[in-house]
Amino acid sequence: MDQVISLTLKVWRQNGPDDAGAFQTYQAEGISQDASFLEMLDIVNERLIEEGTEPITFESDCREGICGTCGLMINGKAHGPELGTATCQLHMRKFNDGDHITIEPWRAVSFPVIKDLAVERTPLDLIIEAGGYISVPTGSAPDANLTPVPKEAADMAFDAAACIGCGACVAACPNSAAQLFTSAKLNHLNLLPQGQAERWQRAENMVETMEMYFGTCTNHGECHEACPKEISLDFIAFMNRDYVKAKIKNRKLAGQR
Ligand code: SF4
């Protein structure tokens, strides 16, 4: 049977990056526990629009835990109480009738608030731009088996590629560090034979771009706890190893030119 609950929401409202912002309280009555968290916000917004109040701004796209667009601090936890779950995949059955829920945007200096619960995450794109790609010669498509990929490397690269770029790792980190995101994006290419040609330049460029915008990792591990794709902290160790090697190799290569 469809269980219906009523909630009290404390939602962060902010008109723009320069506005101070404040919490507003809303009642969310008669919410089906089969609804997702974002569907619950949709219902609240429909009611706000009917009342002539401006709806709450929040981001979403695929609503299938794939695109990384959604992301909210729910009761102080990035993506809410369910481990390994993006905000869009969190369901209201995880809450009880009468609960009070506090909803905030990602809190990080590098993620200024655009409006209410939506934040600017461009610095993550700049890290990708610095090296999160491989150069492919144009021409006809090569045979899929032309470059053998060891099974272990394929499995690890696939695990790293699961990162959806949501930024929860940054929001959960007390230093607003982006090591988990950067290491996932770097390793899913550096682990594969196809990523070797640009490996050392990629490591240096991506890590140094990350350092321009984000804080330093001090091994709290909060990023892994918050990550909806449960990206392993091991990737940070692999990234640090590649970065140190890259500094030596790139210097040697520069000396040969
Ligand atoms: S590492 Fe996890 S938390 Fe960080 S951006 Fe990727 S999916 Fe999101």
Side-chain angles (χ1 to χ4, degrees):
M1 202 180 115
D2 190 18
Q3 296 287 325
V4 167
I5 57 174
S6 294
L7 308 151
T8 301
L9 307 180
K10 214 171 129 191
V11 183
W12 185 260
R13 304 296 312 258
Q14 185 173 339
N15 263 330
D18 299 325
D19 181 36
F23 282 108
Q24 299 286 336
T25 303
Y26 303 98
Q27 298 304 319
E29 311 277 352
I31 302 293
S32 164
Q33 285 194 306
D34 289 335
S36 73
F37 200 85
L38 297 184
E39 285 166 347
M40 180 274 292
L41 286 179
D42 288 339
I43 294 165
V44 170
N45 270 347
E46 280 167 19
R47 293 176 187 168
L48 290 177
I49 291 166
E50 277 169 19
E51 287 169 10
T53 306
E54 192 172 334
I56 302 157
T57 299
F58 64 93
E59 288 182 277
S60 74
D61 191 0
C62 75
R63 299 201 175 196
E64 293 180 341
I66 299 168
C67 73
T69 307
C70 67
L72 301 172
M73 275 293 187
I74 301 166
N75 287 340
K77 289 194 166 180
H79 289 303
E82 193 73 354
L83 288 179
T85 306
T87 301
C88 62
Q89 295 283 282
L90 178 65
H91 280 78
M92 297 315 294
R93 65 183 77 98
K94 300 295 172 188
F95 297 90
N96 298 311
D97 190 38
D99 274 358
H100 288 235
I101 306 176
T102 303
I103 310 170
E104 296 171 81
W106 287 164
R107 301 286 191 192
V109 174
S110 312
F111 293 163
V113 170
I114 300 168
K115 192 167 170 57
D116 298 338
L117 305 173
V119 299
E120 175 69 60
R121 282 174 281 186
T122 301
L124 296 183
D125 298 332
L126 298 178
I127 295 171
I128 299 293
E129 203 177 291
Y133 54 82
I134 57 167
S135 298
V136 181
T138 53
S140 56
D143 188 280
N145 295 326
L146 207 60
T147 309
V149 181
K151 176 81 168 74
E152 194 188 355
D155 287 349
M156 286 177 71
F158 196 77
D159 287 348
C163 167
I164 55 175
C166 61
C169 46
V170 175
C173 175
N175 307 327
S176 298
Q179 257 80 1
L180 198 64
F181 164 81
T182 310
S183 67
K185 295 300 181 190
L186 183 141
N187 278 296
H188 93 258
L189 299 174
N190 276 13
L191 287 164
L192 293 173
Q194 292 89 340
Q196 296 310 303
E198 289 144 325
R199 177 175 183 170
W200 308 114
Q201 206 54 57
R202 174 183 303 116
E204 192 169 340
N205 291 350
M206 288 181 78
V207 169
E208 291 182 1
T209 304
M210 171 191 79
E211 287 172 344
M212 284 164 59
Y213 296 98
F214 295 97
T216 306
C217 175
T218 47
N219 298 320
H220 280 261
E222 295 292 331
C223 52
H224 174 71
E225 291 297 308
C227 177
K229 298 298 161 186
E230 299 177 313
I231 298 292
S232 169
L233 293 172
D234 290 348
F235 289 122
I236 299 179
F238 298 158
M239 176 177 75
N240 291 342
R241 178 199 60 191
D242 267 18
Y243 178 67
V244 172
K245 282 189 180 176
K247 291 303 282 183
I248 298 165
K249 285 177 186 282
N250 292 341
R251 199 176 307 150
K252 275 189 187 164
L253 285 172
Q256 287 164 11
R257 279 181 208 130

